[in-house]
Structure formats: structure tokens, C-alpha cells
Amino acid sequence: FTDEAEHSRLSVPTYPTLFSAMLNWIETGQKPSPATIKAACPVFAEKYKEPCLFVVPYTPALTGSRF
């Protein structure tokens, strides 16, 4: 989960962080955790000069409580 202010747009570092984690999972078989994804983001934040907005830990509310 991320703490984004815009709907349907994530901060730029989010995309390469997630794709990198996904490719690593495919190549190594090691499933990324939210913590390892968040930890990998600062490299991309520095490169793209935008913040990492991953929220770790995050527990979504029960579906019925959001309506």
C-alpha cells in the first residue's frame, strides 16, 4: 500500500521498485515482502527525485467497514 494523494497515479519510484521486485521474484523464486520492497525504493527515489510512499506495515480495514 502507498500513501498517495492522487488517484490512479503513483510516485515515479514506485513503478521501478515494484517491477524490480517482481523480476527478482521470477528469477530467484523468493517472494518479496512489503518491507523488502520499501527498503529497495530509496535507490529509485534518488534517481527520479520523487519520494517513496510505501506504507509498511499496513492492514486494510475490513471491506464492510469501508462502506
Side-chain angles (χ1 to χ4, degrees):
F1 290 93
T2 62
D3 188 17
E4 300 286 346
E6 298 292 323
H7 180 70
S8 298
R9 183 203 180 271
L10 302 174
S11 67
V12 173
T14 302
Y15 297 102
T17 300
L18 293 174
F19 281 114
S20 176
M22 181 179 62
L23 289 173
N24 187 60
W25 186 7
I26 291 167
E27 292 170 357
T28 68
Q30 288 188 299
K31 183 178 177 180
S33 70
T36 60
I37 291 171
K38 183 176 181 172
C41 190
V43 171
F44 296 107
E46 178 65 28
K47 180 176 181 177
Y48 295 108
K49 307 296 185 219
E50 286 193 25
C52 294
L53 300 172
F54 290 103
V55 178
V56 176
Y58 179 83
T59 304
L62 296 174
T63 302
S65 69
R66 292 182 268 163
F67 297 103

